Amino acid sequence: MQSKEANSYALATIGGLLSSSCCLVQLGLNYLSVGCAGFSVLDPLREYFIALSYGGFFFKLFWEKQVMNQRIFNKSNSITLLILLTLTSSPIAVRWVNNGRLPSEYDGILSEVEIEGMNCEACSNNAKNGLLSIDGVTDCSVDLRTKKAKIQSKRELNLCLFRP
C-alpha cells in the first residue's frame, strides 16, 4: 500500500510542478541567487498540464470507487489533492503577492518603470524583492503581464542600471 501512496504523491508533485511552470522551484532558486532556470517555457502548456493532473487524479478516484470498490475519501487521496492544489495555484499566489496594491495617496514619490527579462511569476518576485532592497524604496508592485513595476520611494531613484 505504501508504494501506491508514494506513486500517487510523486505523480501529483510532478503534475503540479509542470502545471505551475515549476514556480516554487524557481522561487527556491531565486532565494539561492541562482537566477532564472527558464521554466517559463512551460507556461503555454500550463492549462494542458492542469487538465492532465486533475484528470488523472479524478480518474484515479473513479477507478478506486467503481472498479476497486474502495473508499475514495481517505488520507492518501486528501494528501494527493492538497499537493495538486498547492502546486497548481502557486503561480496565482505569487502573482497576487507581486501585484500588491499600493495606496492611492502617498506623500513620497510614485514611479513606474518597465522591467525587461521577466518570464515568469518567480522572475517578477525576484524583481520585486530586488526593488524593495534599494535604499529609499518603501513599497512596490511588479506586474509580469505588463512588465512594469510601480514603486513608492522617499526620494528620486535612478533605476537605469537596476538588475534584480
Side-chain angles (χ1 to χ4, degrees), residues 71-155:
R71 288 184 47 228
I72 58 172
F73 297 108
N74 56 43
K75 180 181 173 184
S76 173
N77 289 338
S78 299
I79 291 171
T80 302
L81 182 60
L82 184 62
I83 291 169
L84 273 175
L85 287 171
T86 302
L87 292 174
T88 57
S89 64
S90 64
I92 298 163
V94 173
R95 184 179 307 125
W96 182 73
V97 169
N98 290 341
N99 294 336
R101 301 292 170 236
L102 298 177
S104 56
E105 292 184 23
Y106 177 66
D107 292 339
I109 298 171
L110 288 172
S111 326
E112 187 172 298
V113 295
E114 287 189 34
I115 300 178
E116 296 178 9
M118 293 188 307
N119 298 314
C120 65
E121 290 300 336
C123 291
S124 60
N125 183 261
N126 194 33
K128 179 179 180 173
N129 290 336
L131 287 167
L132 289 172
S133 71
I134 296 173
D135 187 39
V137 172
T138 57
D139 200 4
C140 71
S141 68
V142 178
D143 189 340
L144 175 65
R145 288 183 217 133
T146 62
K147 308 253 189 242
K148 291 184 180 181
K150 293 179 182 176
I151 305 164
Q152 271 180 234
S153 59
K154 297 176 186 173
R155 57 182 166 73

Coordinates of all heavy atoms in Angstrom, one line a residue, residues 71-155:
R71 N -13.0 3.1 -0.7 CA -13.4 4.4 -0.3 C -12.5 5.4 -0.9 O -11.3 5.2 -1.0 CB -13.3 4.5 1.2 CG -14.4 3.8 2.0 CD -14.3 4.0 3.5 NE -14.1 5.4 3.8 CZ -13.2 5.8 4.7 NH1 -12.4 5.0 5.3 NH2 -13.2 7.1 5.0
I72 N -13.1 6.5 -1.5 CA -12.2 7.5 -2.1 C -11.8 8.6 -1.2 O -10.9 9.4 -1.5 CB -12.9 8.1 -3.4 CG1 -14.2 8.7 -3.1 CG2 -13.0 7.0 -4.5 CD1 -14.8 9.4 -4.3
F73 N -12.6 8.8 -0.1 CA -12.2 9.8 0.9 C -11.3 9.2 1.9 O -11.8 8.7 3.0 CB -13.5 10.4 1.5 CG -14.4 11.1 0.5 CD1 -15.6 10.5 0.2 CD2 -14.0 12.3 0.0 CE1 -16.4 11.2 -0.8 CE2 -14.8 12.9 -1.0 CZ -16.0 12.4 -1.3
N74 N -10.0 9.2 1.6 CA -9.0 8.7 2.6 C -7.8 9.6 2.6 O -7.7 10.6 1.9 CB -8.6 7.3 2.1 CG -8.1 7.2 0.7 OD1 -7.3 8.1 0.3 ND2 -8.5 6.2 -0.1
K75 N -6.9 9.3 3.5 CA -5.7 10.1 3.8 C -4.9 10.3 2.5 O -4.5 11.4 2.2 CB -4.9 9.5 4.9 CG -3.7 10.3 5.2 CD -2.9 9.6 6.3 CE -1.6 10.3 6.6 NZ -0.8 9.5 7.6
S76 N -4.7 9.2 1.8 CA -3.8 9.3 0.6 C -4.4 10.2 -0.5 O -3.7 11.1 -1.0 CB -3.7 7.9 0.0 OG -3.0 7.9 -1.3
N77 N -5.7 10.1 -0.7 CA -6.3 11.0 -1.7 C -6.4 12.4 -1.3 O -6.2 13.4 -2.1 CB -7.7 10.5 -2.1 CG -7.7 9.2 -2.9 OD1 -6.7 8.9 -3.6 ND2 -8.7 8.5 -2.9
S78 N -6.6 12.7 0.0 CA -6.6 14.0 0.6 C -5.2 14.7 0.4 O -5.1 15.8 0.0 CB -7.0 14.0 2.0 OG -8.3 13.5 2.2
I79 N -4.1 13.9 0.7 CA -2.8 14.5 0.6 C -2.5 14.7 -0.9 O -1.9 15.8 -1.2 CB -1.8 13.5 1.2 CG1 -2.0 13.6 2.8 CG2 -0.3 14.0 0.9 CD1 -1.1 12.5 3.5
T80 N -2.9 13.8 -1.7 CA -2.6 14.0 -3.2 C -3.3 15.3 -3.7 O -2.7 16.1 -4.4 CB -3.1 12.8 -4.0 OG1 -2.4 11.6 -3.5 CG2 -2.9 12.9 -5.4
L81 N -4.6 15.5 -3.3 CA -5.3 16.6 -3.7 C -4.7 17.9 -3.2 O -4.6 18.9 -3.9 CB -6.8 16.5 -3.3 CG -7.7 17.7 -3.7 CD1 -7.7 17.8 -5.3 CD2 -9.1 17.5 -3.2
L82 N -4.2 17.9 -1.9 CA -3.6 19.0 -1.3 C -2.3 19.4 -2.1 O -2.0 20.6 -2.3 CB -3.3 18.8 0.1 CG -2.7 19.9 0.9 CD1 -3.6 21.1 1.0 CD2 -2.3 19.5 2.3
I83 N -1.5 18.4 -2.5 CA -0.3 18.6 -3.3 C -0.7 19.3 -4.6 O -0.1 20.3 -5.0 CB 0.5 17.3 -3.5 CG1 1.1 16.8 -2.2 CG2 1.6 17.5 -4.6 CD1 1.6 15.4 -2.3
L84 N -1.7 18.7 -5.3 CA -2.1 19.3 -6.5 C -2.6 20.8 -6.4 O -2.2 21.6 -7.2 CB -3.2 18.5 -7.2 CG -2.8 17.3 -8.0 CD1 -4.1 16.5 -8.4 CD2 -2.0 17.7 -9.2
L85 N -3.4 21.0 -5.4 CA -4.0 22.3 -5.2 C -2.9 23.3 -4.9 O -2.8 24.5 -5.5 CB -5.0 22.3 -4.1 CG -6.3 21.7 -4.5 CD1 -7.2 21.6 -3.2 CD2 -7.1 22.5 -5.5
T86 N -1.9 23.0 -4.0 CA -0.9 23.9 -3.6 C 0.0 24.2 -4.8 O 0.3 25.4 -5.1 CB 0.0 23.2 -2.5 OG1 -0.9 23.0 -1.4 CG2 1.1 24.1 -2.1
L87 N 0.5 23.2 -5.6 CA 1.4 23.4 -6.7 C 0.7 24.1 -7.9 O 1.3 25.1 -8.4 CB 2.0 22.1 -7.1 CG 3.0 21.5 -6.1 CD1 3.5 20.2 -6.6 CD2 4.2 22.4 -5.8
T88 N -0.5 23.7 -8.2 CA -1.1 24.3 -9.4 C -1.5 25.8 -9.1 O -1.6 26.6 -10.1 CB -2.3 23.5 -9.9 OG1 -3.2 23.4 -8.9 CG2 -1.9 22.2 -10.4
S89 N -1.8 26.1 -7.9 CA -2.2 27.5 -7.6 C -1.0 28.4 -7.2 O -1.2 29.6 -7.0 CB -3.2 27.5 -6.4 OG -2.6 27.0 -5.3
S90 N 0.2 27.9 -7.1 CA 1.4 28.7 -6.7 C 1.6 29.9 -7.6 O 1.9 31.0 -7.0 CB 2.6 27.8 -6.5 OG 3.0 27.2 -7.7
P91 N 1.5 29.8 -8.9 CA 1.8 31.0 -9.7 C 0.7 32.1 -9.4 O 1.0 33.3 -9.5 CB 1.6 30.5 -11.2 CG 1.9 29.1 -11.1 CD 1.4 28.6 -9.8
I92 N -0.5 31.7 -9.1 CA -1.6 32.6 -8.8 C -1.3 33.3 -7.5 O -1.4 34.6 -7.4 CB -2.9 31.9 -8.8 CG1 -3.2 31.3 -10.2 CG2 -4.0 32.9 -8.3 CD1 -4.3 30.3 -10.2
A93 N -0.8 32.6 -6.5 CA -0.5 33.2 -5.2 C 0.7 34.1 -5.4 O 0.7 35.2 -4.8 CB -0.1 32.1 -4.2
V94 N 1.7 33.7 -6.1 CA 2.9 34.6 -6.3 C 2.5 35.9 -7.1 O 2.9 37.0 -6.7 CB 4.0 33.9 -7.1 CG1 5.2 34.8 -7.4 CG2 4.6 32.7 -6.2
R95 N 1.6 35.7 -8.1 CA 1.2 36.9 -8.8 C 0.4 37.9 -7.9 O 0.6 39.1 -7.9 CB 0.2 36.5 -10.0 CG -0.2 37.7 -10.8 CD -1.1 37.2 -12.0 NE -0.5 36.2 -12.8 CZ -1.0 35.0 -13.0 NH1 -2.2 34.7 -12.6 NH2 -0.4 34.1 -13.7
W96 N -0.4 37.3 -7.0 CA -1.1 38.1 -6.0 C -0.2 38.9 -5.1 O -0.4 40.1 -4.9 CB -2.1 37.2 -5.2 CG -2.9 37.9 -4.2 CD1 -4.0 38.7 -4.5 CD2 -2.8 37.9 -2.8 NE1 -4.5 39.2 -3.3 CE2 -3.8 38.7 -2.3 CE3 -1.9 37.3 -2.0 CZ2 -3.9 38.9 -0.9 CZ3 -2.0 37.5 -0.6 CH2 -3.0 38.3 -0.1
V97 N 0.9 38.2 -4.7 CA 1.9 38.9 -3.8 C 2.6 40.0 -4.6 O 2.8 41.1 -4.1 CB 2.9 37.9 -3.2 CG1 4.0 38.6 -2.6 CG2 2.2 37.0 -2.2
N98 N 3.0 39.7 -5.8 CA 3.8 40.6 -6.7 C 3.0 41.8 -7.0 O 3.5 42.9 -7.2 CB 4.3 39.9 -7.9 CG 5.3 38.9 -7.7 OD1 6.0 38.9 -6.7 ND2 5.5 38.0 -8.6
N99 N 1.7 41.7 -7.2 CA 0.8 42.8 -7.6 C 0.2 43.5 -6.4 O -0.9 43.9 -6.5 CB -0.2 42.3 -8.6 CG 0.3 41.9 -9.9 OD1 1.4 42.3 -10.3 ND2 -0.4 41.0 -10.6
G100 N 0.9 43.5 -5.3 CA 0.4 44.2 -4.1 C -0.2 45.5 -4.4 O 0.3 46.2 -5.3
R101 N -1.2 45.9 -3.8 CA -1.9 47.2 -4.1 C -1.2 48.3 -3.3 O -1.1 48.3 -2.1 CB -3.4 47.1 -3.7 CG -4.1 46.0 -4.4 CD -4.2 46.3 -5.9 NE -4.7 45.2 -6.6 CZ -4.0 44.6 -7.6 NH1 -2.9 45.1 -8.0 NH2 -4.5 43.6 -8.3
L102 N -0.8 49.3 -4.1 CA -0.2 50.5 -3.4 C -1.3 51.4 -3.1 O -2.3 51.5 -3.8 CB 0.8 51.1 -4.4 CG 2.0 50.3 -4.8 CD1 2.8 51.0 -5.9 CD2 2.8 49.9 -3.6
P103 N -1.1 52.2 -2.0 CA -2.2 53.1 -1.6 C -2.3 54.2 -2.7 O -1.4 54.6 -3.4 CB -1.7 53.7 -0.3 CG -0.2 53.4 -0.2 CD 0.0 52.2 -1.1
S104 N -3.5 54.7 -2.9 CA -3.8 55.7 -3.9 C -3.2 57.1 -3.5 O -2.8 57.9 -4.4 CB -5.3 55.9 -4.2 OG -6.0 56.2 -3.0
E105 N -3.1 57.4 -2.3 CA -2.5 58.6 -1.8 C -1.2 58.3 -1.1 O -1.2 57.5 -0.2 CB -3.4 59.4 -0.9 CG -4.6 59.9 -1.7 CD -5.5 60.8 -0.8 OE1 -5.0 61.3 0.2 OE2 -6.7 60.9 -1.1
Y106 N -0.1 59.0 -1.5 CA 1.2 58.7 -0.9 C 2.0 60.0 -0.8 O 2.0 60.8 -1.8 CB 1.9 57.6 -1.7 CG 3.3 57.3 -1.1 CD1 3.5 56.8 0.1 CD2 4.4 57.6 -1.9 CE1 4.7 56.5 0.6 CE2 5.7 57.4 -1.4 CZ 5.8 56.8 -0.2 OH 7.1 56.6 0.3
D107 N 2.7 60.3 0.3 CA 3.4 61.6 0.4 C 4.7 61.5 -0.4 O 5.2 62.6 -0.8 CB 3.7 61.8 1.9 CG 2.5 62.1 2.7 OD1 1.5 62.5 2.0 OD2 2.5 62.0 3.9
G108 N 5.3 60.4 -0.6 CA 6.6 60.3 -1.3 C 6.4 60.3 -2.8 O 5.5 60.9 -3.4
I109 N 7.3 59.7 -3.5 CA 7.4 59.7 -5.0 C 6.8 58.3 -5.5 O 7.3 57.3 -5.0 CB 8.8 59.9 -5.5 CG1 9.3 61.3 -5.0 CG2 8.9 59.8 -7.0 CD1 10.7 61.5 -5.2
L110 N 5.9 58.4 -6.4 CA 5.4 57.2 -7.1 C 6.0 57.2 -8.5 O 5.9 58.1 -9.2 CB 3.9 57.2 -7.2 CG 3.1 57.0 -5.9 CD1 1.6 57.3 -6.1 CD2 3.3 55.6 -5.4
S111 N 6.6 56.0 -8.9 CA 7.3 55.9 -10.2 C 6.8 54.6 -10.8 O 6.4 53.7 -10.1 CB 8.8 55.8 -10.1 OG 9.3 56.5 -9.0
E112 N 6.8 54.6 -12.1 CA 6.5 53.4 -12.9 C 7.6 53.1 -13.8 O 8.0 54.0 -14.6 CB 5.2 53.5 -13.6 CG 4.7 52.2 -14.3 CD 3.3 52.3 -14.8 OE1 2.4 52.6 -14.1 OE2 3.2 52.2 -16.0
V113 N 8.2 51.9 -13.8 CA 9.3 51.6 -14.7 C 9.0 50.3 -15.4 O 8.3 49.4 -14.9 CB 10.6 51.5 -14.0 CG1 11.1 52.8 -13.4 CG2 10.6 50.4 -12.9
E114 N 9.6 50.2 -16.6 CA 9.5 48.9 -17.4 C 10.6 48.0 -16.9 O 11.7 48.5 -16.7 CB 9.5 49.1 -18.9 CG 8.2 49.8 -19.4 CD 8.2 49.8 -20.9 OE1 8.8 48.9 -21.6 OE2 7.6 50.8 -21.4
I115 N 10.4 46.7 -16.8 CA 11.4 45.8 -16.5 C 11.5 44.7 -17.6 O 10.5 44.1 -17.9 CB 11.1 45.1 -15.1 CG1 11.0 46.1 -14.0 CG2 12.2 44.1 -14.8 CD1 10.7 45.6 -12.7
E116 N 12.7 44.6 -18.1 CA 12.9 43.6 -19.2 C 13.4 42.3 -18.6 O 14.0 42.3 -17.6 CB 13.9 44.1 -20.2 CG 13.4 45.3 -21.0 CD 14.4 45.8 -21.9 OE1 15.5 45.2 -22.1 OE2 14.2 46.9 -22.5
G117 N 13.1 41.2 -19.3 CA 13.7 39.9 -18.9 C 12.9 39.1 -17.9 O 13.3 38.0 -17.5
M118 N 11.7 39.5 -17.6 CA 10.9 38.7 -16.7 C 10.1 37.8 -17.5 O 9.4 38.2 -18.5 CB 9.9 39.6 -15.9 CG 10.5 40.5 -14.9 SD 9.3 41.3 -13.8 CE 8.2 42.1 -14.9
N119 N 10.1 36.5 -17.2 CA 9.4 35.5 -18.0 C 8.4 34.7 -17.2 O 7.6 33.9 -17.7 CB 10.5 34.5 -18.6 CG 11.4 35.2 -19.5 OD1 11.0 35.9 -20.4 ND2 12.7 34.9 -19.4
C120 N 8.5 34.8 -15.8 CA 7.5 34.0 -15.0 C 7.3 34.8 -13.7 O 7.9 35.8 -13.4 CB 8.1 32.6 -14.7 SG 9.6 32.6 -13.7
E121 N 6.3 34.3 -12.9 CA 6.0 35.0 -11.7 C 7.2 34.9 -10.7 O 7.3 35.9 -9.9 CB 4.7 34.3 -11.0 CG 3.5 34.6 -11.8 CD 3.1 36.0 -11.9 OE1 3.5 36.9 -11.1 OE2 2.4 36.4 -12.9
A122 N 8.0 33.9 -10.8 CA 9.1 33.9 -9.9 C 10.1 34.9 -10.3 O 10.8 35.6 -9.4 CB 9.8 32.5 -9.9
C123 N 10.3 35.2 -11.6 CA 11.2 36.3 -12.0 C 10.6 37.7 -11.5 O 11.4 38.5 -11.1 CB 11.2 36.3 -13.5 SG 12.1 35.0 -14.3
S124 N 9.3 37.9 -11.6 CA 8.8 39.2 -11.1 C 8.9 39.3 -9.6 O 9.1 40.4 -9.1 CB 7.3 39.4 -11.6 OG 6.5 38.3 -11.2
N125 N 8.8 38.1 -8.9 CA 9.0 38.2 -7.5 C 10.5 38.5 -7.2 O 10.7 39.3 -6.2 CB 8.7 36.8 -6.9 CG 8.8 36.8 -5.4 OD1 9.8 36.3 -4.8 ND2 7.8 37.3 -4.7
N126 N 11.4 38.0 -7.9 CA 12.8 38.4 -7.8 C 13.0 39.9 -8.0 O 13.8 40.5 -7.3 CB 13.7 37.5 -8.7 CG 15.1 37.5 -8.4 OD1 15.5 37.6 -7.2 ND2 16.0 37.5 -9.4
A127 N 12.4 40.4 -9.0 CA 12.5 41.8 -9.3 C 11.9 42.7 -8.2 O 12.5 43.7 -7.8 CB 11.8 42.2 -10.6
K128 N 10.8 42.2 -7.7 CA 10.1 43.0 -6.6 C 11.0 43.0 -5.3 O 11.3 44.0 -4.7 CB 8.8 42.3 -6.2 CG 8.1 43.0 -5.0 CD 6.8 42.4 -4.7 CE 6.2 43.2 -3.5 NZ 4.8 42.8 -3.3
N129 N 11.6 41.8 -5.0 CA 12.5 41.8 -3.8 C 13.7 42.6 -4.1 O 14.2 43.3 -3.1 CB 12.9 40.3 -3.5 CG 11.7 39.5 -3.0 OD1 10.8 40.1 -2.4 ND2 11.7 38.2 -3.2
G130 N 14.2 42.6 -5.3 CA 15.4 43.5 -5.6 C 15.1 45.0 -5.5 O 15.8 45.7 -4.9
L131 N 13.9 45.4 -6.0 CA 13.5 46.8 -5.8 C 13.3 47.2 -4.4 O 13.7 48.2 -3.9 CB 12.2 47.0 -6.6 CG 12.3 47.0 -8.1 CD1 10.9 47.0 -8.8 CD2 13.1 48.3 -8.6
L132 N 12.7 46.3 -3.6 CA 12.5 46.6 -2.2 C 13.8 46.7 -1.4 O 13.8 47.3 -0.3 CB 11.6 45.5 -1.5 CG 10.1 45.5 -2.0 CD1 9.4 44.3 -1.4 CD2 9.5 46.8 -1.5
S133 N 14.9 46.1 -1.9 CA 16.2 46.1 -1.2 C 16.9 47.4 -1.5 O 17.9 47.7 -0.9 CB 17.0 44.9 -1.6 OG 17.5 45.1 -3.0
I134 N 16.4 48.3 -2.4 CA 17.0 49.5 -2.7 C 16.7 50.6 -1.6 O 15.6 50.7 -1.2 CB 16.6 50.1 -4.1 CG1 17.0 49.1 -5.2 CG2 17.1 51.5 -4.4 CD1 16.4 49.5 -6.6
D135 N 17.7 51.2 -1.2 CA 17.6 52.2 -0.1 C 16.6 53.3 -0.6 O 16.8 53.9 -1.7 CB 18.9 52.8 0.2 CG 18.8 53.8 1.4 OD1 18.1 53.5 2.4 OD2 19.5 54.8 1.4
G136 N 15.6 53.6 0.1 CA 14.6 54.6 -0.2 C 13.3 54.1 -0.7 O 12.3 54.8 -0.7
V137 N 13.3 52.9 -1.2 CA 12.1 52.3 -1.7 C 11.2 51.8 -0.5 O 11.7 51.0 0.3 CB 12.3 51.1 -2.7 CG1 11.1 50.4 -3.0 CG2 13.1 51.6 -3.9
T138 N 10.0 52.3 -0.4 CA 9.1 51.9 0.7 C 8.2 50.8 0.3 O 7.8 50.0 1.2 CB 8.4 53.1 1.2 OG1 7.6 53.7 0.1 CG2 9.3 54.2 1.8
D139 N 7.8 50.7 -0.9 CA 6.9 49.6 -1.4 C 6.9 49.6 -2.9 O 7.3 50.5 -3.5 CB 5.5 49.9 -0.9 CG 4.6 48.6 -0.9 OD1 5.1 47.5 -1.2 OD2 3.4 48.7 -0.6
C140 N 6.5 48.4 -3.4 CA 6.4 48.3 -4.9 C 5.5 47.2 -5.3 O 5.2 46.3 -4.4 CB 7.8 48.2 -5.5 SG 8.5 46.6 -5.3
S141 N 5.0 47.2 -6.5 CA 4.3 46.1 -7.1 C 4.9 45.8 -8.5 O 5.3 46.8 -9.2 CB 2.8 46.3 -7.1 OG 2.5 47.4 -8.1
V142 N 4.9 44.6 -8.9 CA 5.5 44.2 -10.2 C 4.5 43.3 -10.9 O 4.0 42.4 -10.3 CB 6.8 43.4 -10.0 CG1 7.4 43.0 -11.3 CG2 7.9 44.2 -9.2
D143 N 4.2 43.7 -12.1 CA 3.2 43.0 -12.9 C 3.9 42.3 -14.1 O 4.4 43.0 -15.0 CB 2.1 44.0 -13.4 CG 1.0 43.3 -14.1 OD1 1.1 42.1 -14.5 OD2 -0.1 43.9 -14.2
L144 N 3.9 41.0 -14.1 CA 4.5 40.3 -15.2 C 3.9 40.5 -16.5 O 4.6 40.6 -17.5 CB 4.5 38.8 -14.8 CG 5.0 37.8 -15.9 CD1 6.5 38.0 -16.1 CD2 4.7 36.4 -15.5
R145 N 2.6 40.6 -16.6 CA 1.9 40.8 -17.9 C 2.3 42.1 -18.6 O 2.5 42.1 -19.8 CB 0.4 40.7 -17.7 CG -0.1 39.3 -17.4 CD -1.6 39.3 -17.2 NE -1.9 38.3 -16.2 CZ -2.8 38.5 -15.2 NH1 -3.4 39.7 -15.1 NH2 -3.0 37.7 -14.3
T146 N 2.3 43.2 -17.8 CA 2.7 44.5 -18.4 C 4.2 44.7 -18.4 O 4.6 45.7 -19.0 CB 2.0 45.6 -17.7 OG1 2.4 45.7 -16.3 CG2 0.5 45.5 -17.7
K147 N 4.9 43.9 -17.6 CA 6.4 44.0 -17.5 C 6.7 45.4 -16.9 O 7.7 46.0 -17.3 CB 7.1 43.8 -18.8 CG 6.8 42.6 -19.5 CD 7.9 41.6 -19.5 CE 7.6 40.4 -20.4 NZ 7.5 39.2 -19.7
K148 N 5.9 45.8 -15.9 CA 6.1 47.1 -15.3 C 6.1 47.0 -13.8 O 5.4 46.1 -13.2 CB 5.0 48.1 -15.7 CG 5.1 48.5 -17.1 CD 4.1 49.6 -17.5 CE 4.3 50.0 -19.0 NZ 3.3 51.0 -19.3
A149 N 6.8 47.9 -13.1 CA 6.8 48.0 -11.7 C 6.4 49.4 -11.3 O 6.7 50.4 -11.9 CB 8.2 47.7 -11.1
K150 N 5.5 49.4 -10.2 CA 5.1 50.7 -9.6 C 5.9 50.7 -8.3 O 5.8 49.8 -7.5 CB 3.6 50.7 -9.4 CG 2.9 50.7 -10.7 CD 1.4 50.7 -10.5 CE 0.7 50.7 -11.8 NZ -0.8 50.6 -11.7
I151 N 6.6 51.8 -8.1 CA 7.5 51.9 -6.9 C 7.1 53.2 -6.1 O 6.9 54.3 -6.6 CB 8.9 52.1 -7.4 CG1 9.3 50.9 -8.3 CG2 9.9 52.2 -6.3 CD1 10.5 51.1 -9.2
Q152 N 7.0 53.0 -4.8 CA 6.9 54.1 -3.9 C 8.3 54.3 -3.3 O 8.9 53.3 -2.8 CB 6.0 53.6 -2.7 CG 4.5 53.9 -2.9 CD 3.7 53.4 -1.7 OE1 2.8 52.7 -1.9 NE2 4.0 53.9 -0.5
S153 N 8.7 55.5 -3.2 CA 10.0 55.8 -2.6 C 10.0 57.2 -1.9 O 9.1 58.0 -2.1 CB 11.1 55.9 -3.7 OG 10.8 56.8 -4.7
K154 N 11.0 57.3 -1.1 CA 11.1 58.6 -0.3 C 11.8 59.7 -1.1 O 11.7 60.8 -0.7 CB 11.9 58.3 1.0 CG 11.3 57.3 1.9 CD 12.2 57.0 3.1 CE 11.6 55.9 4.0 NZ 12.5 55.5 5.0
R155 N 12.5 59.3 -2.1 CA 13.3 60.2 -2.9 C 13.4 59.7 -4.4 O 12.9 58.6 -4.7 CB 14.7 60.4 -2.3 CG 15.5 59.1 -2.3 CD 16.8 59.3 -1.6 NE 17.4 58.0 -1.3 CZ 17.9 57.1 -2.1 NH1 17.9 57.4 -3.4 NH2 18.5 56.0 -1.7

